[in-house]
Coordinates of all heavy atoms in Angstrom, one line a residue:
G1 N 80.8 120.1 161.0 CA 81.2 118.7 160.9 C 80.8 117.9 162.1 O 81.2 116.7 162.2
G2 N 80.1 118.5 163.0 CA 79.7 117.8 164.2 C 78.5 116.9 164.1 O 78.0 116.5 163.0
S3 N 77.9 116.6 165.3 CA 76.8 115.7 165.3 C 75.5 116.3 164.7 O 75.4 117.5 164.6 CB 76.5 115.3 166.8 OG 76.2 116.4 167.5
T4 N 74.6 115.5 164.3 CA 73.3 115.9 163.8 C 72.2 115.4 164.7 O 72.3 114.4 165.4 CB 73.1 115.4 162.3 OG1 73.2 113.9 162.3 CG2 74.2 115.9 161.4
V5 N 71.1 116.2 164.6 CA 70.0 115.8 165.4 C 68.7 116.1 164.6 O 68.7 117.1 163.8 CB 69.9 116.5 166.8 CG1 69.9 118.1 166.6 CG2 68.8 116.1 167.6
Y6 N 67.7 115.3 164.7 CA 66.5 115.4 163.9 C 65.2 115.3 164.7 O 65.2 114.6 165.7 CB 66.4 114.4 162.8 CG 67.5 114.4 161.8 CD1 68.7 113.7 162.0 CD2 67.4 115.2 160.7 CE1 69.7 113.8 161.1 CE2 68.4 115.3 159.7 CZ 69.6 114.6 159.9 OH 70.6 114.6 159.0
A7 N 64.2 116.0 164.3 CA 62.9 115.8 164.9 C 62.4 114.4 164.6 O 62.7 113.9 163.5 CB 61.9 116.9 164.4
D8 N 61.7 113.8 165.5 CA 61.2 112.5 165.2 C 60.3 112.4 164.0 O 60.3 111.4 163.3 CB 60.4 112.0 166.4 CG 61.2 111.7 167.7 OD1 62.4 111.5 167.5 OD2 60.6 111.6 168.8
S9 N 59.6 113.5 163.7 CA 58.7 113.5 162.6 C 59.4 113.4 161.2 O 58.8 113.1 160.2 CB 57.8 114.7 162.6 OG 58.6 115.9 162.6
V10 N 60.7 113.8 161.2 CA 61.4 113.8 159.9 C 62.6 112.8 159.9 O 63.2 112.7 158.8 CB 62.0 115.2 159.6 CG1 60.8 116.2 159.6 CG2 63.1 115.6 160.5
K11 N 62.9 112.2 161.0 CA 64.0 111.2 161.0 C 63.8 110.2 160.0 O 62.8 109.6 159.8 CB 64.1 110.7 162.4 CG 65.4 109.9 162.7 CD 65.4 109.5 164.2 CE 65.4 110.7 165.1 NZ 65.5 110.4 166.6
G12 N 64.9 109.9 159.3 CA 64.9 108.9 158.2 C 64.5 109.4 156.9 O 64.6 108.7 155.9
R13 N 63.9 110.6 156.8 CA 63.4 111.2 155.6 C 64.2 112.5 155.2 O 64.4 112.7 154.0 CB 62.0 111.6 155.7 CG 61.0 110.5 156.0 CD 59.6 110.9 155.9 NE 59.2 111.9 156.9 CZ 58.8 113.1 156.6 NH1 58.6 113.5 155.3 NH2 58.4 113.9 157.6
F14 N 64.7 113.2 156.2 CA 65.4 114.5 156.0 C 66.9 114.3 156.3 O 67.2 113.5 157.3 CB 64.9 115.6 156.8 CG 63.5 116.1 156.4 CD1 62.7 115.4 155.5 CD2 63.0 117.3 156.9 CE1 61.4 115.8 155.1 CE2 61.7 117.7 156.6 CZ 61.0 117.0 155.7
T15 N 67.8 115.0 155.7 CA 69.2 114.9 156.0 C 69.8 116.4 155.9 O 69.6 117.1 154.9 CB 70.0 114.1 155.0 OG1 69.4 112.7 155.0 CG2 71.4 114.0 155.4
I16 N 70.4 116.8 157.0 CA 71.1 118.1 157.0 C 72.5 117.9 156.7 O 73.1 116.9 157.1 CB 70.9 118.8 158.4 CG1 71.4 120.2 158.4 CG2 71.5 117.9 159.5 CD1 71.1 121.0 159.6
S17 N 73.1 118.8 156.0 CA 74.5 118.7 155.6 C 75.1 120.1 155.4 O 74.4 121.1 155.3 CB 74.7 117.9 154.4 OG 74.1 118.5 153.2
R18 N 76.4 120.2 155.5 CA 77.1 121.4 155.3 C 78.1 121.2 154.1 O 78.7 120.2 154.0 CB 77.9 121.9 156.5 CG 77.0 122.1 157.7 CD 77.8 122.6 158.9 NE 78.4 124.0 158.7 CZ 78.4 124.9 159.6 NH1 78.0 124.7 160.8 NH2 78.9 126.1 159.3
D19 N 78.3 122.3 153.4 CA 79.3 122.3 152.3 C 80.1 123.6 152.6 O 79.7 124.7 152.2 CB 78.7 122.4 151.0 CG 79.7 122.2 149.9 OD1 80.9 122.6 150.1 OD2 79.3 121.8 148.8
N20 N 81.2 123.4 153.3 CA 82.0 124.6 153.7 C 82.6 125.3 152.5 O 82.7 126.5 152.6 CB 83.1 124.2 154.7 CG 82.6 123.7 156.1 OD1 81.5 124.2 156.5 ND2 83.3 122.9 156.8
A21 N 82.9 124.6 151.5 CA 83.5 125.2 150.3 C 82.6 126.1 149.6 O 83.0 127.2 149.1 CB 84.0 124.1 149.3
K22 N 81.3 125.8 149.7 CA 80.2 126.6 149.0 C 79.5 127.5 150.0 O 78.6 128.2 149.6 CB 79.2 125.7 148.3 CG 79.8 124.9 147.1 CD 78.8 124.1 146.4 CE 79.4 123.3 145.3 NZ 78.4 122.5 144.6
N23 N 79.9 127.4 151.3 CA 79.2 128.2 152.3 C 77.7 128.0 152.3 O 76.9 129.0 152.4 CB 79.6 129.7 152.1 CG 81.0 130.0 152.3 OD1 81.7 129.5 153.2 ND2 81.6 130.8 151.3
T24 N 77.3 126.8 152.3 CA 75.9 126.5 152.4 C 75.6 125.4 153.4 O 76.5 124.5 153.7 CB 75.4 126.0 151.0 OG1 76.0 124.8 150.6 CG2 75.5 127.0 149.9
V25 N 74.4 125.4 153.9 CA 73.8 124.4 154.8 C 72.6 123.9 154.0 O 71.8 124.7 153.6 CB 73.5 124.9 156.2 CG1 72.9 123.8 157.0 CG2 74.7 125.4 156.9
N26 N 72.5 122.6 153.9 CA 71.5 122.0 153.0 C 70.5 121.1 153.8 O 70.9 120.6 154.9 CB 72.1 121.2 151.9 CG 73.1 122.0 151.1 OD1 74.2 121.6 151.0 ND2 72.7 123.1 150.6
L27 N 69.3 121.0 153.4 CA 68.3 120.1 153.9 C 67.7 119.3 152.8 O 66.9 119.9 152.0 CB 67.3 120.9 154.7 CG 66.3 120.0 155.5 CD1 67.0 119.3 156.6 CD2 65.1 120.8 156.0
Q28 N 68.1 118.1 152.7 CA 67.5 117.2 151.7 C 66.2 116.6 152.3 O 66.3 115.9 153.4 CB 68.5 116.1 151.3 CG 67.9 115.1 150.3 CD 67.6 115.7 149.0 OE1 68.4 116.4 148.4 NE2 66.5 115.4 148.4
M29 N 65.1 116.7 151.7 CA 63.8 116.3 152.2 C 63.2 115.3 151.2 O 62.9 115.6 150.1 CB 62.9 117.5 152.4 CG 63.4 118.6 153.2 SD 62.2 119.9 153.6 CE 61.9 120.5 151.9
N30 N 63.1 114.1 151.7 CA 62.6 113.0 150.8 C 61.2 112.5 151.4 O 60.9 112.7 152.6 CB 63.5 111.8 150.8 CG 64.8 112.2 150.1 OD1 64.9 113.0 149.2 ND2 65.9 111.6 150.6
S31 N 60.5 111.8 150.6 CA 59.2 111.2 151.1 C 58.3 112.2 151.8 O 57.8 112.0 152.9 CB 59.5 110.0 152.0 OG 60.2 109.0 151.4
L32 N 58.2 113.4 151.2 CA 57.5 114.5 151.8 C 56.0 114.2 152.0 O 55.4 113.5 151.2 CB 57.6 115.7 150.9 CG 59.0 116.4 151.0 CD1 59.2 117.4 149.9 CD2 59.1 117.2 152.4
K33 N 55.5 114.7 153.1 CA 54.1 114.5 153.5 C 53.4 115.9 153.6 O 54.1 116.9 153.8 CB 54.0 113.9 154.8 CG 54.8 112.5 155.0 CD 54.8 112.0 156.4 CE 55.5 110.7 156.5 NZ 55.5 110.2 157.9
P34 N 52.1 115.9 153.4 CA 51.4 117.2 153.6 C 51.7 117.9 154.9 O 51.8 119.1 155.0 CB 49.9 116.8 153.5 CG 49.9 115.6 152.6 CD 51.2 114.9 153.0
E35 N 52.0 117.1 156.0 CA 52.3 117.7 157.3 C 53.6 118.4 157.3 O 53.9 119.1 158.2 CB 52.3 116.6 158.3 CG 51.1 115.7 158.4 CD 51.3 114.5 157.5 OE1 51.0 114.5 156.3 OE2 51.6 113.4 158.1
D36 N 54.5 118.2 156.2 CA 55.7 118.9 156.1 C 55.6 120.3 155.6 O 56.6 121.1 155.6 CB 56.7 118.2 155.2 CG 57.1 116.8 155.8 OD1 57.3 116.7 157.0 OD2 57.1 115.8 155.0
T37 N 54.4 120.7 155.2 CA 54.2 122.0 154.6 C 54.5 123.1 155.7 O 54.1 123.0 156.8 CB 52.7 122.2 154.2 OG1 52.5 121.3 153.0 CG2 52.4 123.6 153.7
G38 N 55.1 124.2 155.2 CA 55.4 125.3 156.1 C 56.5 126.2 155.5 O 57.1 125.9 154.5
V39 N 56.8 127.2 156.2 CA 58.0 128.1 155.9 C 59.2 127.5 156.6 O 59.2 127.5 157.8 CB 57.7 129.5 156.3 CG1 58.9 130.4 156.0 CG2 56.5 130.1 155.5
Y40 N 60.2 127.2 155.8 CA 61.4 126.6 156.4 C 62.5 127.7 156.5 O 62.8 128.4 155.5 CB 61.9 125.5 155.5 CG 61.1 124.2 155.7 CD1 59.8 124.1 155.3 CD2 61.7 123.1 156.3 CE1 59.1 123.0 155.4 CE2 61.0 121.9 156.4 CZ 59.7 121.9 156.0 OH 59.0 120.7 156.2
S41 N 63.1 127.8 157.7 CA 64.1 128.8 158.0 C 65.3 128.2 158.5 O 65.3 127.2 159.3 CB 63.6 129.8 159.0 OG 62.4 130.5 158.6
C42 N 66.5 128.7 158.1 CA 67.7 128.2 158.6 C 68.2 129.2 159.7 O 67.8 130.4 159.7 CB 68.8 128.0 157.6 SG 69.3 129.5 156.7
A43 N 69.0 128.7 160.6 CA 69.4 129.6 161.7 C 70.8 129.2 162.1 O 71.3 128.1 162.0 CB 68.5 129.4 162.9
A44 N 71.5 130.2 162.7 CA 72.9 130.0 163.2 C 73.0 130.3 164.7 O 72.4 131.3 165.1 CB 73.8 130.9 162.4
D45 N 73.7 129.5 165.4 CA 73.9 129.7 166.8 C 75.3 130.3 167.0 O 76.3 129.6 166.8 CB 73.7 128.4 167.5 CG 73.9 128.5 169.0 OD1 74.2 129.6 169.6 OD2 73.8 127.5 169.7
A46 N 75.4 131.5 167.5 CA 76.7 132.2 167.7 C 77.2 132.1 169.1 O 78.1 132.8 169.5 CB 76.6 133.7 167.3
Q47 N 76.8 131.2 169.9 CA 77.3 130.9 171.2 C 78.8 130.7 171.2 O 79.3 129.9 170.3 CB 76.6 129.8 171.9 CG 75.1 130.1 172.3 CD 75.0 130.9 173.5 OE1 75.9 131.5 174.0 NE2 73.7 130.9 174.1

C-alpha cells in the first residue's frame, strides 16, 4: 500500500498495483510500444 515508482520509459502508461485479498501484484500496461518487448519478471524485497 506504499508509494509507487516507475521508470521514465513507462511512466503514464504502466500501473503497478497490489491485491492483498488475491495475493497478486499486477502490472497494467497500456499504449504498448515495440521497445516494451521483453521477459517481464516480478520480484520481492525481503529486507
Side-chain angles (χ1 to χ4, degrees):
S3 61
T4 58
V5 60
Y6 296 92
D8 289 343
S9 59
V10 307
K11 193 173 299 180
R13 300 188 297 120
F14 291 11
T15 303
I16 186 172
S17 62
R18 299 183 69 141
D19 188 334
N20 290 335
K22 297 181 179 180
N23 298 315
T24 61
V25 179
N26 307 123
L27 185 69
Q28 178 66 46
M29 306 186 296
N30 299 325
S31 302
L32 283 163
K33 305 174 181 180
E35 308 94 273
D36 295 318
T37 293
V39 176
Y40 283 68
S41 300
C42 63
D45 182 358
Q47 292 279 14

